[in-house]
């Protein structure tokens, strides 16, 4: 009975983290989306270029929220190293971001902001899964 209760507590913890990561991701997405729009519509940056700057701002905000408010377990005790891995995962996510925005806009013939919404969903699952697996879990051997 105690083992099943411990399993439920662990599962609830991951669900709790996922819910808060969705909120943090939503806030980061709003910053990303807003900057994408502003840089493209008002500063006439090409949307691919705008997407890089916007995604980077969202990445930094997401790290601050994730590392300080959402995840209690950290594989790395070194924050600069942790941010580096977090950013590396984000850079892969940025590659997915650029690829899917291009695909949904150029190939799918969607408006670039609609493409961004589709893309954000895909990149969200990459980011959460990779970051949870590589950074924000108990260290091997910890109980």
């Amino acid at each position: 009975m105690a083992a099943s209760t411990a399993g439920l507590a662990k599962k609830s913890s991951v669900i709790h983290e996922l819910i808060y990561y969705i909120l943090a991701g939503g806030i980061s997405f709003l910053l990303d989306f807003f900057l994408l729009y502003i840089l493209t519509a008002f500063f006439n940056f090409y949307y691919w270029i705008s997407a890089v700057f916007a995604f980077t701002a969202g990445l930094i905000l997401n790290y601050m929220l994730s590392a300080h408010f959402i995840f209690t377990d950290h594989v790395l005790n070194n924050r600069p190293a942790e941010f580096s891995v977090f950013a590396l995962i984000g850079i892969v996510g940025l590659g997915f971001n650029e690829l899917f925005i291009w695909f949904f806009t150029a190939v799918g013939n969607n408006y670039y902001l609609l493409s961004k919404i589709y893309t954000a969903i895909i990149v969200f699952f990459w980011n959460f899964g990779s970051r949870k697996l590589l950074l924000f879990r108990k260290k091997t051997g910890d109980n």
Side-chain angles (χ1 to χ4, degrees), residues 39-112:
L39 292 173
T40 303
F42 294 102
F43 292 95
N44 296 317
F45 284 39
Y46 189 63
Y47 72 89
W48 277 11
I49 303 299
S50 298
V52 171
F53 288 111
F55 189 88
T56 301
L59 171 76
I60 292 168
L61 178 60
N62 197 311
Y63 175 74
M64 292 184 331
L65 294 172
S66 296
H68 299 290
F69 300 111
I70 298 170
F71 297 106
T72 57
D73 296 321
H74 296 262
V75 172
L76 301 173
N77 292 328
N78 181 319
R79 292 298 173 238
E82 182 179 74
F83 179 75
S84 296
V85 175
F86 191 95
L88 184 59
I89 292 166
I91 289 167
V92 173
L94 176 60
F96 289 145
N97 184 67
E98 294 297 295
L99 174 67
F100 288 117
I101 283 180
W102 167 80
F103 177 80
F104 291 129
T105 302
V107 177
N109 223 12
N110 290 294
Y111 183 58
Y112 74 96

Side-chain angles (χ1 to χ4, degrees), residues 29 97 104 114-127:
F29 171 77
N97 184 67
F104 291 129
L114 183 60
S115 296
K116 176 62 182 178
I117 293 170
Y118 298 151
T119 298
I121 294 166
I122 295 166
V123 173
F124 170 84
F125 285 106
W126 157 259
N127 286 337

